[in-house]
Amino acid sequence: MASVVTISTKPFEGQKPGTSGLRKKVKVFLQENYTENFIQSILDANKDSIVGSTLVVGGDGRYLVKEVVDKIIKIAAGNGVAKLLVGQNGILSTPAVSHLIRKYKTLGGIVLTASHNPGGINNDFGIKFNCSNGGPAPDHTTNEIYKLSTAITQYKIVPDIQCSVEKIGVQKFKVGDKDFVVEVIDSVKDYVDYMKEIFDFPKIKSLLQGAGKKPFNVLIDSMNGVTGPYVKAIFIDELGATEQNVRRIVPLEDFGGAHPDPNLTYAADLVNAVKNGDYDFGAAFDGDGDRNMIIGRDAFFVTPSDSLAVLANHLQHIPYFQRSGVKGFARSMPTAAAVDRVAAASGREMFQVPTGWKYFGNLMDAGRLSLCGEESFGTGSDHVREKDGLWAALAWLSVLSATQLSVQEILSKHWTQFGRNYFTRYDYEECPSDPCNEMMTELEKKMSGSGFVGSSHSSGGKTYVVAVADNFSYMDPVDQSVAMKQGLRIVFEDGSRIVLRLSGTGSSGATVRLYIDSYEASDVLGSAQEKLAPLIDVALQISQLQKYTGRDQPTVIT
Ligand code: G1P
Ligand code: ZN
């Protein structure tokens, strides 16, 4: 029998969850009691239901996941949790955690990931709490966790529990007179079974095998993140793909040195491989498996905003939606409005929420939302309450199989029907914080000053007149909660938009995100960078971004 030990501790500053959980450098988490404090604060935020509860625990395989899983086991035992479902070796993708919480109706889950941020001892780690609906905790819960972390004086732990998570199986412990169970589960099985229910695997398999014609050649890149074993189980074991169709499918603690963010910059390897090889389709996923990038033959790039719109227009090809029907659509505010046009054409409800997946959950729980996405390579549906990279790739393959068109043909057809929202995002990563905060304050002042609405701004022979200028705020239509200051937004008379916000997921300094989009009804086949150049210039003029950040060029363009 093991017993609970109470350890005195002191609060650490800054344990405030950002857009998606608490993310810091590994070395910050390695400070004595830092991680313990935050885990205890998560459990305390659930104090009314924690005793006797079940939680799911897993992470993306990055450096520190195993050690923190061990801490969670010991602290959960110390706080009266009855059972933990832990992925084997601590491995679970973020969408898989969401699915497990829902399938086994647990109180929630703890996800160990810093998502697309690099891993390894000198890089990032993260801890995120998901609620019983499977989704990231809403603001009122993360605020409560933060508040508790600022006043914590002790945590409860059972140091004597020795629990290896290497082998699948149930381990039982006695803590005082109570039972405590750790069930180590297959990291991929439940998720793969679910994907087989959602999609028509035989159809996708026959697409990949050519169905009598030329095989449809895919290249799937896990970027050494958590999706590796899921990709192997789905693409190789189920869909008959070969080792030639997959890359980087072994999860590594430092992602092999890669920055596991599936975009044109950090997944350039995949882009080049598809460009130079005989591939019809490429997809990459981030560290924890919730983001996706889709490209077609010759590395034809599908922006996440367009990907969302195309899927919205073709959901009828997916068995899950054939059964459940299609409800509304949603996107985050900075995401281009391509999907809005599909919603309007099909008479469906359309929602625009702040940045961050947590804002979609209520709408899904209320049965009003089927499909949603973010420009930041997030696409997903109400099958779980997280974005889901592999789901997005399988959804695309379902559409490709049903339409028998190429990726590029699908996009051309879509733009011809709906017009095109040209979109780009410039990221200025790890800038000094103070000048960036000042830039945002000054810009907001300028935007709310008299005469800004109605003012003209010119570049490259184009003139834009400001129609709306605000700091986006959102009231959740389900629980009426309000999220303020979600990004500075300048909308021009022709509907073009500039959005500027500071990232809430970085672990050091400030990352400025500049989002630009502009709609064209018929001129749909141009290059986004060329089309948007005047508007980008206008954005740089208005914000004086280069002066404040000291940067001439963004670090990433998507
Ligand atoms: C970024 C993305 C956002 C996404 C989040 C988590 O947050 O912009 O859309 O939900 O990562 O993947 P940010 O760093 O911009 O706060
Ligand atoms: Zn992620």
Side-chain angles (χ1 to χ4, degrees), residues 390-403:
L390 261 159
W391 177 93
L394 292 168
W396 261 93
L397 291 172
S398 307
V399 173
L400 290 162
S401 140
T403 58

Side-chain angles (χ1 to χ4, degrees), residues 146-467:
Y146 173 57
K147 207 175 109 200
L148 289 161
S149 80
T150 62
I152 190 167
T153 57
Q154 57 179 46
Y155 62 85
K156 292 193 213 127
I157 187 162
V158 185
D160 292 343
I161 285 188
Q162 299 303 327
C163 180
S164 160
V165 296
E166 277 172 21
K167 285 205 192 96
I168 293 173
V170 175
Q171 299 170 61
K172 291 188 175 151
F173 304 90
K174 265 270 182 256
V175 176
D177 57 353
K178 290 207 190 91
D179 292 326
F180 174 65
V181 176
V182 176
E183 181 173 354
V184 177
I185 56 175
D186 184 320
S187 306
V188 300
K189 186 174 182 308
D190 293 271
Y191 179 84
V192 174
D193 288 348
Y194 195 32
M195 291 301 118
K196 285 165 79 174
E197 269 174 44
I198 293 174
F199 297 104
D200 186 337
F201 270 39
K203 241 192 198 154
I204 300 177
K205 184 169 184 176
S206 76
L207 169 78
L208 299 196
Q209 298 193 330
K213 294 181 285 175
K214 189 177 161 298
F216 186 89
N217 222 358
V218 303
L219 188 58
I220 309 292
D221 189 349
S222 291
M223 301 186 87
N224 291 132
V226 75
T227 56
Y230 298 82
V231 164
K232 182 180 177 303
I234 291 175
F235 280 90
I236 298 186
D237 302 345
E238 295 286 342
L239 298 174
T242 69
E243 297 288 341
Q244 270 66 55
N245 299 114
V246 298
R247 55 202 312 272
R248 299 194 278 187
I249 62 166
V250 177
L252 297 177
E253 290 197 332
D254 66 350
F255 306 111
H259 189 146
D261 199 359
N263 59 40
L264 293 173
T265 303
Y266 296 130
D269 274 13
L270 170 78
V271 172
N272 291 331
V274 170
K275 206 178 266 167
N276 301 324
D278 181 22
Y279 294 104
D280 302 287
F281 179 86
F285 313 113
D286 73 335
D288 64 326
D290 55 358
R291 293 187 173 197
N292 75 92
M293 177 175 77
I294 303 292
I295 55 180
R297 183 160 270 283
D298 300 324
F300 177 87
F301 173 61
V302 183
T303 69
S305 306
D306 280 338
S307 172
L308 176 61
V310 166
L311 292 181
N313 199 29
H314 288 95
L315 287 184
Q316 72 277 12
H317 300 310
I318 298 174
Y320 174 89
F321 297 104
Q322 291 162 0
R323 290 192 297 266
S324 71
V326 179
K327 297 146 199 158
F329 302 133
R331 63 176 167 86
S332 65
M333 181 274 282
T335 302
V339 65
D340 300 36
R341 296 170 203 285
V342 179
S346 57
R348 297 211 164 84
E349 261 197 304
M350 179 70 222
F351 304 93
Q352 197 180 157
V353 309
T355 298
W357 209 260
K358 57 189 168 193
Y359 296 104
F360 295 123
N362 271 353
L363 293 165
M364 289 183 179
D365 292 347
R368 290 170 73 177
L369 176 55
S370 287
L371 176 81
C372 53
E374 295 191 276
E375 51 61 46
S376 52
F377 298 84
T379 324
S381 88
D382 63 352
H383 69 291
V384 290
R385 294 293 181 273
E386 289 277 8
K387 51 189 180 260
D388 189 343
L390 261 159
W391 177 93
L394 292 168
W396 261 93
L397 291 172
S398 307
V399 173
L400 290 162
S401 140
T403 58
Q404 294 289 309
L405 297 172
S406 71
V407 172
Q408 185 163 0
E409 284 163 349
I410 290 186
L411 264 301
S412 304
K413 205 167 156 238
H414 189 92
W415 293 332
T416 307
Q417 185 180 352
F418 293 97
R420 176 172 176 192
N421 282 78
Y422 286 94
F423 177 86
T424 190
R425 183 175 105 180
Y426 279 25
D427 291 335
Y428 301 80
E429 297 176 314
E430 300 196 18
C431 298
S433 294
D434 290 346
C436 292
N437 290 327
E438 197 185 330
M439 172 182 79
M440 296 300 281
T441 312
E442 289 305 314
L443 178 58
E444 190 168 4
K445 256 192 227 155
K446 185 189 255 183
M447 285 168 54
S448 51
S450 69
F452 188 73
V453 171
S455 62
S456 300
H457 304 266
S458 302
S459 174
K462 295 205 71 167
T463 295
Y464 300 91
V465 181
V466 177

